[in-house]
Amino acid sequence: MRDDGGRTGALHAAPAQHSCLRITMPVSVSVQPRTNQTKASKFDVIVIGGGHNGLVCGAYLARAGLKALVLERRPVIGGAAVSEEVVPGFTFSVFSYGVGHLHPKVNSELELEKFGLRTVSYGDTFVPVSNKQFFVHSGDVAATQRHIARFSHKDAARYPEFLAFLAALSPFMHRLLLETPIDPAKRDWRSLRKSFSFLWKYRKIGDGLYNIADLFTQSADDFLSRWFESSVIRAHFSYWAGVGNMMSPKTPGSAWATLYYLFTMETHGGVPRGHSIGGMGKVSQAIADAGRSFGLEVKPDNEVIKVETRNGQVVGVVTRDGLDYAAPIIVSNAHCKVLFDDLVGEAALPDHFLDNIRRFKTHSTAWKINIACEAPPDFAAFDRSESGTDYCAFAHIGPDIDYLERAYDDAKYGWYSSRPWMTAATPTLVDQSMAPSGKHVVNLYGGHAPYELKNASWASERENFINSVMSVMDDFAPGFSSRVIDMQVLLPPDIERILNIPNGHILHGEMSPDQLFFQRPAPHYADYRTPIKGLYQCGSSCHPGGCVSGIPGHNAAREILSDLGKVRRL
């Protein structure tokens, strides 16, 4: 069998490269002399990186009438939002696997359904607590209350209060996602005007300000204790704190990480929390096709190795193949560390700026295993009549707070979780196009697996880690591992190699309070601009952060058009 989409062999064999993946280490490169380069067409704007945010930004700029080009280093566009047939006959959403974060404004303004985006809900979230107990979280408040009451009647009664809290804070949060962060330290008239305008816009938040302060400082467990006494129920909602982050439910500030997911995963704008038919690559393809309809050019297999500057102004980019593209505006969808350390370089940047970028925390512990299998997980606790659903296409395994905390403790001391928590998503229960008839695809995603192990290497521990994941799955869904046909294993070093994201951090950086809003990715440069004139950022290193939302791409395009004096409002 195959591991990590590579050679045929034992199920847990050492990883190998799959032929469709172009693996590139994020290292500095030397640039060919300019006389050896081939001159290419001039553009109004060049976007580095064809991930979904780069495509969104390029589409909006092309829609505004700019001659725009997107250059993508891999043969396939989409970055982390891709669909690939890693196992013959089985299509995987290789990295990101949920479409529910896609912002409705992006979806509607780019008319993504017109360009082939089709979505379907995974349905209720099934949470096995043991082989006999379970919890179901659904959009039906009364049904969710009945399930909560299995563990605490008091919690069930208070669940509507929790929803009311989310509803009260939701308008503020949704508006904040689309804001361009202010710089409160600047004292020039333009910056002061922006800061005052921002404060005036949110003057009616009132006591909500204290709730925001609590989110930034409290742990998810402490924050959720306002409403829930059951460790099972608190674990379900605080589960999200560790998704992509080196956090636990008891980490100060993890309340924000939890609520960020809850606010951005709402069913809204016609995009349900769930699955994109054909996989996440269909999201990226729809965005690219929307952009092409406005004249956007998208060129995969064109890796940018240098951003060229002259007198503090960008003038173009150079690709690994020696092509020299000229443009007065360059927008980077690459990670901020890759952009400034590798593509720009210290000589072109002001003192101390690169120090701030290098301090940007990217301590990744997220892993992903894509599985081709004979049958979906058959959870021992699942009961069709009691659960109120015919199948469980989306499950969270993280029974209580202590379970989640122990998984974090292992990683905190430099090791992988002996009992990892995980999401088990089975897209083929709602989309049969992703596997041969009667077969299934299962995406396992969870924590924690550090980028580096203490006194060991992933080469020697990879198989043991896979065994720990399968052991947990077999405990909750007996016999699951025996139904595995093949798998692709993605640990942080694998994600880094494939996507060129430092430490393989799926959110491009911790969603901790010190890396949010006007500090993301660096003080004074959270407004999608950079110290170099004409150079912008549009990736997940920027506000509001990771997930397939399209928001950073949208916001960056708005700021570029504003600087160009374009009247179209985004």
Side-chain angles (χ1 to χ4, degrees), residues 232-312:
V232 170
I233 306 306
R234 294 200 311 276
H236 171 65
F237 290 109
S238 63
Y239 177 96
W240 298 104
V243 174
N245 295 302
M246 179 55 173
M247 294 182 182
S248 79
K250 295 184 181 294
T251 302
S254 60
W256 168 264
T258 292
L259 270 294
Y260 173 76
Y261 277 98
L262 292 178
F263 281 120
T264 57
M265 280 195 306
E266 289 187 11
T267 298
H268 54 194
V271 180
R273 181 175 73 180
H275 172 74
S276 168
I277 299 296
M280 291 300 291
K282 296 297 184 180
V283 178
S284 300
Q285 192 62 56
I287 298 169
D289 288 345
R292 290 186 182 104
S293 74
F294 303 121
L296 177 69
E297 290 189 46
V298 181
K299 293 187 177 184
D301 212 7
N302 273 268
E303 181 179 3
V304 173
I305 61 171
K306 184 175 177 61
V307 173
E308 294 194 306
T309 65
R310 187 179 301 123
N311 300 322

Side-chain angles (χ1 to χ4, degrees), residues 425-493:
T426 309
T428 41
L429 288 173
V430 295
D431 176 11
Q432 297 179 357
S433 72
M434 300 188 72
S437 179
K439 310 297 182 183
H440 288 273
V441 165
V442 174
N443 303 130
L444 300 181
Y445 168 86
H448 295 274
Y451 177 79
E452 293 182 328
L453 298 177
K454 187 175 182 178
N455 300 324
S457 70
W458 277 116
S460 61
E461 289 296 329
R462 192 180 189 92
E463 181 177 350
N464 291 332
F465 170 73
I466 296 170
N467 288 337
S468 72
V469 172
M470 289 300 156
S471 175
V472 170
M473 281 299 296
D474 283 342
D475 283 348
F476 288 91
F480 174 75
S481 64
S482 67
R483 304 183 186 107
V484 172
I485 299 170
D486 212 338
M487 65 169 64
Q488 178 192 39
V489 177
L490 298 168
L491 297 169

